Amino acid sequence: MSEELTPTEPIAATAAGPEESEEPIKQRKNGLYPGVSDELAENMKSGWADTELRDLEPIPQVAETAARRAALSARFPGERLVIPAGNLKTRSNDTEYPFRASVEYTWLTGNQTEDGVLVMEPVADGHRATIYLLPRSDRENGEFWLSGQGELWVGRRHSLTEAGKLYGIPASDVRELAGALREATGPVRVVRGYDAGIEAALTDKVTAERDEELRVYLSEARLVKDAFEIGELQKAVDSTVRGFEDVVKVLDKAQATSERYIEGTFFLRARVEGNDVGYGSICAAGPHACTLHWVRNDGPVRPGDLLLLDAGVETHTYYTADVTRTLPIDGRYTEIQKKIYDAVYEAQEAGIAAVRPGAKYRDFHDASQRVLAAKLVEWGLVEGPVERVLELGLQRRWTLHGTGHMLGLDVHDCAAARQETYVDGVLEPGMCLTVEPGLYFQADDLTVPEEYRGIGVRIEDDILVTEDGNRNLSAALPRRSDEVEAWMAALKK
């Protein structure tokens, strides 16, 4: 990784106010260049071609983002609404984590760049939206080649004119926003937790309660997906299916290395076809399958064990899949593995069957848990009857988690929604959720026979609520145990 230069030229700060608009570019303490000569600085200002993009088309979801902003406007009339994208976060010293814009900002604009802010200004007939962004890096003051965030270091930003065309929203310079917000009057709400500078500019104008109402609204508004979102979720799932196929084809190489080989194989598919993985891939072999969020992925992959692979590709628009399969590493389930797997499959079938418009959100969870509780009673692992087990939650020693969650821009989407609209709510067409029952017998669980210990099974699919029932977006991946074995055998030929 190249070292940055050590300039002395001033550069405009990002979201500071006008009074803080000129700051020196941060110098590297041990850089090899002591400074920039006047001659070099002058030379770098000229001789560059005009690269303005003049034939840009709006992003595909521009109509949907406009409709979302219109609904937001109707919900909070007469109030200024401020929704930041967020800022870069330092990973170590002078390197940053890959940036991912806030879901609220992305959902309302389609833009994904750091330091962006959407401002909805109240007007007589609703709101006027403006997207505040960093313009292209300045060539006059040398920012484009001297700053670590300049164009020659991290790539070209869109000009404000280009951004306006792409997102269908007038664009302005975000470096002027904090000062303007300090002078703003009237009621204001901001989505907190993403941009400390913007929040500081509004500190005497907002309240935690009012801001939380905005955050909750933006979470609940995403419960029902529009046609664009459903299409993106299907893209994410389709790429994920291919990623699972990739993994099965290289299980022999994973056996020679570790779970990391599985993680890297799936990640390659995610980066080639999408933006990233939607969450840390769980590549849990053997007893690691009993750890629900096993993301260390540093364990051995052994024939005769199971591989619990819980992974999802995130599309370029941030929508993620979330799929789990529990696979026999050598291609065939043992008798006890198949017994446990088939029980989880039966529970998932019951859960999926309960997903339909008008059903309670909790119904699919209850249906799956009832099947698992009955199996545990049947196997003599817990004393029945089943109603007693469910009433006391005794099955949870081995089922551990809820049977699903909403899915979308976040893998656990709409998390800020009120309980009465989410877990205590009713399913509607356009909602997308996971159904993912599991059974986990810890390696040190002395309450179960030894043959059960160290076996963990989860099966997870992404289910869209439709007008007449549901659609399994991830149906292309086999689920039944015999179908899984046949699928694996075909891929290894």
Side-chain angles (χ1 to χ4, degrees):
M1 185 176 185
S2 301
E3 286 195 329
E4 298 165 26
L5 302 178
T6 53
T8 55
E9 296 283 327
I11 179 174
T14 55
E19 69 277 9
E20 307 166 26
S21 62
E22 294 294 323
E23 293 183 358
I25 301 173
K26 184 179 181 181
Q27 298 188 34
R28 185 188 294 275
K29 181 178 180 180
N30 290 301
L32 294 174
Y33 289 101
V36 177
S37 68
D38 291 342
E39 290 80 3
L40 177 57
E42 193 61 32
N43 177 276
M44 290 297 288
K45 290 180 182 180
S46 61
W48 306 100
D50 178 7
T51 59
E52 182 75 8
L53 305 176
R54 295 179 172 83
D55 57 352
L56 290 174
E57 295 293 329
I59 58 173
Q61 68 270 41
V62 69
E64 286 83 0
T65 55
R68 297 165 195 166
R69 293 192 302 274
L72 174 63
S73 174
R75 172 62 180 81
F76 298 102
E79 301 185 54
R80 181 178 285 103
L81 309 173
V82 182
I83 302 95
N87 315 124
L88 290 172
K89 290 182 171 61
T90 299
R91 180 181 184 274
S92 177
N93 187 24
D94 58 354
T95 60
E96 292 86 20
Y97 287 104
F99 179 73
R100 190 182 192 274
S102 74
V103 295
E104 295 89 348
Y105 174 85
T106 301
W107 187 70
L108 290 166
T109 66
N111 179 257
Q112 299 175 3
T113 54
E114 66 269 17
D115 301 324
V117 184
L118 172 67
V119 177
M120 305 276 286
E121 295 280 353
V123 293
D125 58 348
H127 285 81
R128 179 180 64 250
T130 304
I131 187 171
Y132 287 86
L133 302 167
L134 285 172
R136 289 189 63 186
S137 44
D138 197 327
R139 292 181 186 265
E140 280 300 307
N141 69 3
E143 176 195 359
F144 78 108
W145 72 289
L146 295 175
S147 168
Q149 295 302 317
E151 187 168 307
L152 298 193
W153 288 98
V154 297
R156 181 187 187 278
R157 295 191 289 264
H158 282 296
S159 72
L160 298 180
T161 300
E162 291 169 354
K165 293 177 181 178
L166 283 170
Y167 306 109
I169 312 170
S172 292
D173 191 335
V174 72
R175 294 172 297 186
E176 302 169 357
L177 178 59
L181 290 176
R182 291 189 189 102
E183 303 300 320
T185 59
V188 185
R189 298 178 192 255
V190 64
V191 177
R192 301 190 182 200
Y194 298 117
D195 193 317
I198 292 299
E199 289 180 39
L202 293 169
T203 186
D204 60 341
K205 299 175 172 62
V206 295
T207 67
E209 181 180 6
R210 287 162 53 77
D211 292 347
E212 179 64 9
E213 287 177 354
L214 173 60
R215 188 173 80 101
V216 168
Y217 167 80
L218 289 172
S219 197
E220 293 182 356
R222 301 199 314 274
L223 283 168
V224 175
K225 271 57 181 178
D226 58 38
F228 176 83
E229 295 179 289
I230 293 169
E232 290 300 295
L233 285 166
Q234 187 65 69
K235 286 181 188 176
V237 169
D238 291 345
S239 289
T240 298
V241 168
R242 290 187 283 272
F244 274 66
E245 292 171 348
D246 295 339
V247 166
V248 171
K249 291 175 182 177
V250 300
L251 280 177
D252 57 335
K253 295 179 180 178
Q255 291 175 48
T257 52
S258 74
E259 295 162 338
R260 292 278 169 93
Y261 203 97
I262 295 167
E263 178 184 353
T265 298
F266 188 85
F267 180 69
L268 177 61
R269 178 65 65 175
R271 286 294 279 166
V272 167
E273 295 191 1
N275 177 58
D276 205 331
V277 289
Y279 52 96
S281 298
I282 299 167
C283 308
H288 288 162
C290 298
T291 301
L292 299 183
H293 287 172
W294 176 260
V295 293
R296 298 179 202 171
N297 299 335
D298 58 0
V301 179
R302 300 187 179 100
D305 282 347
L306 296 175
L307 167 67
L308 190 156
L309 178 58
D310 184 336
V313 171
E314 177 184 87
T315 66
H316 293 293
T317 56
Y318 288 175
Y319 289 87
T320 185
D322 182 7
V323 178
T324 306
R325 291 293 183 270
T326 305
L327 311 172
I329 291 168
D330 58 8
R332 301 284 295 182
Y333 294 101
T334 66
E335 183 178 348
I336 185 63
Q337 289 170 352
K338 186 176 186 300
K339 173 183 174 180
I340 296 169
Y341 184 96
D342 288 350
V344 175
Y345 171 77
E346 186 179 331
Q348 195 202 26
E349 283 282 273
I352 293 173
V355 175
R356 57 183 180 275
K360 294 178 181 178
Y361 176 85
R362 292 180 180 273
D363 286 353
F364 74 93
H365 168 72
D366 293 342
S368 291
Q369 291 294 300
R370 178 171 293 278
V371 171
L372 295 178
K375 292 294 181 182
L376 294 167
V377 171
E378 176 187 329
W379 298 340
L381 302 183
V382 64
E383 182 181 349
V386 170
E387 291 299 336
R388 168 185 172 272
V389 173
L390 292 171
E391 181 181 354
L392 298 176
L394 301 180
Q395 84 284 359
R396 293 179 62 186
R397 180 182 178 104
W398 303 284
T399 66
L400 292 176
H401 56 80
T403 310
H405 52 80
M406 292 295 180
L407 186 67
L409 285 168
D410 280 327
V411 65
H412 297 144
D413 206 27
C414 311
R418 293 167 296 169
Q419 185 168 323
E420 59 263 34
T421 61
Y422 192 156
V423 296
D424 291 334
V426 173
L427 296 179
E428 300 178 39
M431 289 182 171
C432 188
L433 52 89
T434 66
V435 178
E436 50 175 312
L439 281 174
Y440 312 92
F441 299 102
Q442 306 299 324
D444 59 350
D445 187 351
L446 301 181
T447 70
V448 300
E450 187 174 358
E451 63 177 349
Y452 286 77
R453 297 172 198 166
I455 295 177
V457 174
R458 180 164 66 252
I459 312 172
E460 176 181 20
D461 285 89
D462 301 341
I463 309 298
L464 175 70
V465 183
T466 61
E467 295 288 346
D468 57 356
N470 69 67
R471 184 168 89 239
N472 185 348
L473 301 181
S474 44
L477 272 182
R479 292 186 295 126
R480 218 173 57 206
S481 57
D482 60 333
E483 293 175 343
V484 169
E485 291 176 340
W487 169 71
M488 294 182 69
L491 287 172
K492 290 181 178 181
K493 285 182 180 178

